[in-house]
């Protein structure tokens, strides 16, 4: 091809270059407009006594954990996994997904250094929120980690120590060091007031967010009395509510009873050691700015060597004890925000998961049917296909486990029936969904 024979090609190339330049310059704006146009209307979830409510009706949580969503939304090549996960959740009728809204100091860090934020990663979290909304899923966003994964309290303490402002190198100084509390408040304010670059809605005004969680599994073992963690919860919960009173707030507790609990409740713990972790389910959850209590369920870690029947029996009592607390002591909903059965447990079979998970679903459903405080449960954890590197002992790709898929969908149908009433079950959409 010669220039002489293709002189007419120049205007075409010039036009193509201009189009490309315009797209690169205004592509985000175009995405903004198309995203805003496609977003469904959503209402905030609230609380009325021991029940979650939405638009005047009871709202029940049948959900899951995918902690990795923000991380996978950063790079274009991995973003399809986020969409695929929400599509799978919507097909199962799930209502809430719990995920991390933090990543401190590591790869794809939202907060690469103390008080500094990566806009590229923030835009990834924006995408997660918009994608959830498109699929009618709400998000329970966790704001920090007690564990070291994704930075956690360890990273905050390390930063403060390196800056020469930390009181102690102990990880628990996260809870009592005034400087660290101040930096964590900066993080909280930055996240809560973030304006989504895709739809222009600030996070504190975004109904797709079901609730905030102060920290994943907080423990302060240096103070087994629980006073340090209690003070931290009271101060930080009040701070969150001073910025955002539209959203629900929970602590992120595992559910262990501490020294302020009665002897009868202490016996419910998996062992005596669990009362020395510096947390206390009832005392911590009673804080006025905390809207609902959270509980985790991991019998493999608590009853090492026990068989499936023994684990299931123990967990049934664990569930009922906390639902009773929500009903009688707290007057608040109780949400079982993580539960799982390890595939590394003795004589593991995938059918064991079906039996164990169904036992949890049955307790939650019965609580909801009777109008009691058990408000829902979230599986730990769901993955998209091809994500083995993000999995652990509990990871499930729902479509690869048909029996689990059907079990979860059955729970969704039961809870929808309670929320929407019998008339809803007579509609064509409900009949098609629950018959599949």
């Amino acid at each position: 091809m010669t220039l002489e024979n293709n002189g007419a090609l120049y205007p075409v190339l010039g036009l193509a270059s201009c189009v490309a330049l315009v797209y690169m310059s205004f592509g985000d704006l175009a995405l903004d407009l198309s995203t805003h146009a496609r977003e469904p209307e959503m209402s905030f979830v609230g609380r009325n006594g021991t029940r979650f409510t939405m638009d005047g009706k009871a709202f029940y949580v049948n959900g899951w954990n995918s902690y990795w969503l923000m991380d996978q939304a950063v790079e274009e090549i991995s973003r399809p996994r986020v969409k695929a996960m929400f599509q799978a959740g919507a097909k199962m009728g799930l209502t809430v997904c719990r995920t991390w809204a933090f990543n401190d100091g590591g790869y794809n860090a939202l907060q690469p250094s103390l008080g500094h934020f990566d806009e590229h990663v923030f835009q990834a979290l924006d995408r997660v929120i918009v994608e959830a909304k498109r699929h009618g899923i709400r998000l329970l966003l966790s704001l920090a980690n007690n564990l070291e994964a994704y930075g956690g309290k360890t990273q905050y303490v390390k930063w403060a120590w390196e800056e020469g402002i930390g009181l102690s190198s102990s990880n628990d100084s996260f809870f009592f060091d005034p400087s660290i509390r101040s930096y964590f408040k900066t993080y909280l304010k930055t996240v809560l007031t973030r304006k989504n670059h895709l739809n222009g809605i600030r996070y504190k005004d975004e109904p797709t967010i079901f609730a905030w969680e102060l920290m994943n599994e907080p423990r302060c073992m240096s103070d087994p009395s629980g006073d340090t963690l209690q003070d931290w919860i009271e101060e930080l919960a009040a701070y969150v509510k001073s910025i955002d009173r539209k959203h629900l707030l929970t602590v992120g507790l595992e559910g262990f009873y501490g020294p302020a609990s009665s002897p009868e409740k202490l016996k419910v713990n998996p062992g005596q050691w669990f009362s020395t972790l510096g947390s206390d389910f009832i005392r911590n959850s009673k804080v006025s700015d905390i809207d609902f209590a959270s509980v985790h369920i991991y019998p493999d870690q608590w009853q090492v060597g026990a068989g499936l029947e023994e684990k299931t029996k123990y967990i049934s009592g664990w569930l009922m004890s906390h639902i009773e607390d929500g009903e009688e002591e707290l007057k608040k909903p109780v949400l079982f925000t993580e539960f799982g059965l390890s595939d590394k447990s003795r004589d593991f079979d995938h059918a064991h998961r079906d039996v164990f998970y169904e036992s949890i679903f049955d307790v939650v459903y019965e609580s909801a049917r009777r109008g009691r405080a058990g408000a829902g449960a979230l599986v730990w954890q769901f993955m998209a296909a091809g994500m083995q590197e993000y999995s652990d002992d509990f990871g499930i790709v729902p479509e690869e486990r048909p029996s689990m898929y059907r079990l979860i969908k059955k729970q969704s149908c039961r809870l929808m029936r309670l929320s929407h009433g019998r008339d809803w079950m007579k509609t064509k959409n409900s009949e098609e969904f629950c018959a599949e």
Side-chain angles (χ1 to χ4, degrees), residues 23 25-35 197-198:
Y23 179 83
S25 301
F26 298 101
D28 278 348
L29 177 58
L31 183 59
D32 256 8
L33 296 173
S34 62
T35 295
H197 82 287
L198 294 175

Side-chain angles (χ1 to χ4, degrees), residues 247-295:
H247 287 106
L248 301 170
L249 178 65
T250 193
V251 179
L253 298 169
E254 297 162 274
F256 303 124
Y257 297 102
S261 299
S262 68
E264 290 75 20
K265 287 298 181 182
L266 290 173
K267 292 178 183 177
V268 178
N269 280 343
Q272 291 185 353
W273 176 77
F274 292 88
S275 67
T276 68
L277 303 179
S279 63
D280 193 317
F281 174 71
I282 294 177
R283 184 187 182 196
N284 299 157
S285 301
K286 271 188 173 180
V287 173
S288 60
D289 287 313
I290 296 300
D291 296 297
F292 66 94
S294 62
V295 183

Side-chain angles (χ1 to χ4, degrees), residues 392-412:
D392 54 15
D393 299 5
F394 307 93
I396 300 171
V397 178
E399 56 266 34
E400 294 179 1
R401 296 292 167 195
S403 60
M404 178 64 69
Y405 189 96
R406 290 192 297 270
L407 177 64
I408 292 168
K409 196 168 182 180
K410 174 186 173 183
Q411 179 73 346
S412 294

Side-chain angles (χ1 to χ4, degrees), residues 50-97:
T50 60
R51 285 188 175 189
F52 295 130
T53 60
M54 185 188 69
D55 295 332
K57 297 179 180 179
F59 180 87
Y60 300 108
V61 175
N62 193 31
W64 83 99
N65 286 266
S66 288
Y67 72 89
W68 44 266
L69 293 173
M70 180 175 68
D71 177 81
Q72 291 295 286
V74 174
E75 303 298 336
E76 188 172 355
I77 193 171
S78 56
R79 287 174 197 163
R81 291 172 168 175
V82 177
K83 181 178 181 179
M85 192 69 261
F86 285 126
Q87 284 178 332
K91 287 179 180 178
M92 290 184 285
L94 299 179
T95 53
V96 175
C97 175

Side-chain angles (χ1 to χ4, degrees), residues 283-351:
R283 184 187 182 196
N284 299 157
S285 301
K286 271 188 173 180
V287 173
S288 60
D289 287 313
I290 296 300
D291 296 297
F292 66 94
S294 62
V295 183
H296 292 181
I297 305 172
Y298 288 110
D300 300 299
Q301 299 173 2
W302 304 343
Q303 295 180 304
V304 178
L308 178 63
E309 185 176 350
E310 184 179 352
K311 292 173 183 175
T312 302
K313 182 178 179 181
Y314 170 76
I315 290 305
S316 177
W318 176 258
L319 286 157
M320 294 307 299
S321 177
H322 289 84
I323 291 172
E324 179 184 83
D325 295 334
E327 197 72 26
E328 304 297 333
E329 291 280 342
L330 303 174
K331 313 296 184 185
K332 299 176 182 181
V334 177
L335 190 59
F336 299 95
T337 50
E338 289 187 24
F339 71 91
L341 192 70
S342 171
D343 61 16
K344 300 294 190 295
S345 59
R346 187 182 71 182
D347 302 324
F348 173 80
D349 188 284
H350 287 287

Side-chain angles (χ1 to χ4, degrees), residues 5 16 21 65 67 74 107 118-119 132 166 190 209 241 367 379:
N5 293 335
L21 181 60
N65 286 266
Y67 72 89
V74 174
Y107 180 71
D118 188 322
E119 174 62 20
T190 303
I209 298 171
K241 288 293 188 177
S367 174
V379 177

